[in-house]
Amino acid sequence: MEAAGYTILPTRWGVEIEGLEPSDATEALRLLRAARRLQSERGSTTAANLIEVMAEADLDLTPPAAIEQARKQADRRRRLLASPVYTNETLGELLGHSQPSTTRTWVSRKKAERRLFTVKIGNQVIIPAFQLNAEGKPRAELAPILDALLGAGVDGWTLWTWLVVGTPLLSGGVPVDLMSTEPTRVRRAAQRFASRHRPAA
């Protein structure tokens, strides 16, 4: 059996571990005994101590499902970021702003009005380009959709994903593709989606 780069071989007298220094094996066994002792002595009240001991023993505590979910989320975000986007700097150039602070203020005001949403990568503000027209102004047909979603507390990444991916609420249609031709239908779909994400009172 292989684990974390080591090969564990059962023998008549126990097991052999290839690729592990004797001192490392001794330390691992010491930590395992300590974890089991904590578990037996204090039961569920020592959960925090047990987690700490196991972490120190370099044991993987992350459930595989959580890792897979994180991977899928990262893939979705990479695809979104591969589409046309603005930063405050590039949007400022389009709008003809001479000062970066002017663009930041403009973006903040449009966000407060629920006419625009942004996401962040590190300290970088990202503005998905599809929500703006050729002049860099918010698209009027998107306003009621953003109002419903932002008003329900839907975060930027979730909102962005919903707008550009086919949804069962529109029979597989993509909201951003239909908002000009079927605005009422898309608005209702946004309201239904928002109702599922509204924080409980």
Side-chain angles (χ1 to χ4, degrees):
M1 182 176 101
E2 293 188 2
Y6 307 123
T7 302
I8 302 174
L9 304 171
T11 69
R12 291 177 56 188
W13 304 277
V15 296
E16 290 184 4
I17 304 176
E18 294 182 352
L20 185 68
E21 293 294 326
S23 59
D24 292 336
T26 301
E27 179 66 8
L29 290 171
R30 185 186 69 78
L31 290 169
L32 180 60
R33 283 195 296 269
R36 287 179 174 170
R37 185 172 63 253
L38 280 171
Q39 189 177 36
S40 63
E41 289 176 357
R42 302 182 187 177
S44 60
T45 61
T46 63
N49 292 336
L50 181 58
I51 290 173
E52 183 176 330
V53 170
M54 292 175 72
E56 290 176 355
D58 197 28
L59 298 176
D60 187 3
L61 301 179
T62 307
I67 295 174
E68 179 63 15
Q69 182 179 13
R71 185 192 64 77
K72 289 180 179 179
Q73 186 179 63
D75 287 344
R76 283 195 299 269
R77 291 190 179 185
R78 277 194 291 269
R79 288 195 295 271
L80 292 174
L81 291 168
S83 64
V85 298
Y86 292 107
T87 62
N88 281 327
E89 292 74 19
T90 57
L91 180 58
E93 293 174 5
L94 176 63
L95 294 173
H97 294 162
S98 58
Q99 298 294 327
S101 59
T102 304
T103 307
R104 288 194 294 270
T105 300
W106 185 89
V107 169
S108 295
R109 186 170 66 250
K110 296 305 177 186
K111 287 177 62 178
E113 296 170 356
R114 296 179 184 168
R115 300 287 309 280
L116 193 71
F117 75 92
T118 66
V119 298
K120 290 189 75 173
I121 294 291
N123 294 322
Q124 181 71 68
V125 173
I126 303 296
I127 306 151
F130 70 84
Q131 57 188 325
L132 304 171
N133 63 21
E135 290 75 39
K137 304 298 176 61
R139 294 172 62 181
E141 64 269 32
L142 188 56
I145 302 169
L146 290 184
D147 186 59
L149 297 170
L150 293 172
V154 179
D155 70 273
W157 288 107
T158 301
L159 192 157
W160 191 358
T161 301
W162 187 80
L163 286 170
V164 301
V165 175
T167 171
L169 295 174
L170 292 170
S171 303
V174 176
V176 75
D177 293 342
L178 298 175
M179 64 184 186
S180 296
T181 56
E182 301 183 60
T184 301
R185 187 176 174 218
V186 175
R187 184 176 67 252
R188 289 174 179 167
Q191 291 168 344
R192 290 174 60 191
F193 181 78
S195 68
R196 301 174 184 175
H197 291 76
R198 192 177 302 278

